[in-house]
Amino acid sequence: MNTLKRWRLAGIITLIISGFLLHYVFSWTNGSKIIGFFVPVNESVWEHLKLGYWSVVLFSMAEYPQIKHRVTNYFFAKTLGVLVLEITIIIIFYGYTFIAGKDIFLIDILSYILGVMSCQYLTYAFLREKPFSLPAARLSAAAFIAIGILFGVTTYYPPHIGIFKDHNNNTYGINKEK
């Protein structure tokens, strides 16, 4: 197995474990508003999408120094991978809850795992492509960072729409606004 494939497999395992652990960090820190920027602060779908994004960020910090000279399009691949991870979760969640009429914890977990696997597969594919232009690389890196900022800002200033709503207690964001 080549180095890039090993990193993708390590990514799948790491993202699943870190996603699980990040789910509990907010409560472990007694609801730290600073930590809330990075981890879910409630049970809304939107807040749980942070699990994938920040897991990818943490994994990338270890991965990038090891593979940067062997790959191209790193930030494009990571940005696209994260978007696919998040979209997979959203489609599965709203698809099955529309049909079942309720949230099923096991399917939520499986949707995250499927999202992680899709992310890693797509990342692998784009890391092997011919190099994109420098402006495309810069735009990809900016988009990747913007996604993280968006997650953080909407924790403190969430729109009052369904994906941001914690349906367990009808609140939004970290401030538990109704």
Side-chain angles (χ1 to χ4, degrees):
M1 181 182 301
N2 70 30
T3 302
L4 196 52
K5 285 182 181 178
R6 280 194 299 271
W7 275 102
R8 300 290 54 83
L9 182 58
I12 290 170
I13 295 165
T14 303
L15 271 71
I16 291 169
I17 292 169
S18 63
F20 174 78
L21 293 173
L22 288 175
H23 187 272
Y24 298 100
V25 170
F26 188 67
S27 64
W28 292 342
T29 60
N30 294 317
S32 167
K33 291 190 178 212
I34 294 169
I35 296 298
F37 188 92
F38 305 100
V39 299
V41 301
N42 66 33
E43 292 299 318
S44 71
V45 173
W46 181 260
E47 284 293 311
H48 280 75
L49 296 177
K50 289 180 186 179
L51 298 174
Y53 177 80
W54 291 108
S55 292
V56 168
V57 169
L58 291 171
F59 180 72
S60 296
M61 291 169 65
E63 174 191 44
Y64 184 69
Q66 303 300 317
I67 69 167
K68 66 183 177 184
H69 298 296
R70 298 178 183 180
V71 299
T72 60
N73 309 315
Y74 189 81
F75 288 104
F76 180 84
K78 289 294 180 172
T79 303
L80 195 57
V82 162
L83 291 173
V84 165
L85 191 163
E86 310 299 16
I87 291 167
T88 299
I89 292 169
I90 291 168
I91 290 171
I92 291 172
F93 178 80
Y94 286 109
Y96 91 78
T97 55
F98 177 78
I99 294 166
K102 63 180 181 176
D103 187 7
I104 302 169
F105 181 69
L106 181 60
I107 297 176
D108 293 341
I109 299 296
L110 292 174
S111 73
Y112 179 74
I113 292 170
L114 183 60
V116 163
M117 292 171 71
S118 300
C119 169
Q120 291 299 299
Y121 177 78
L122 196 63
T123 299
Y124 177 75
F126 278 95
L127 288 175
R128 299 175 68 225
E129 288 293 316
K130 293 179 187 174
F132 296 157
S133 67
L134 185 57
R138 289 181 177 158
L139 182 60
S140 299
F144 190 79
I145 293 166
I147 292 167
I149 292 169
L150 179 65
F151 278 128
V153 169
T154 55
T155 294
Y156 305 104
Y157 304 101
H160 285 220
I161 58 176
I163 195 168
F164 294 91
K165 186 176 184 177
D166 179 343
H167 290 282
N168 293 336
N169 56 24
N170 294 320
T171 59
Y172 297 86
I174 196 166
N175 297 321
K176 301 294 184 190
E177 303 168 14
K178 288 191 176 189

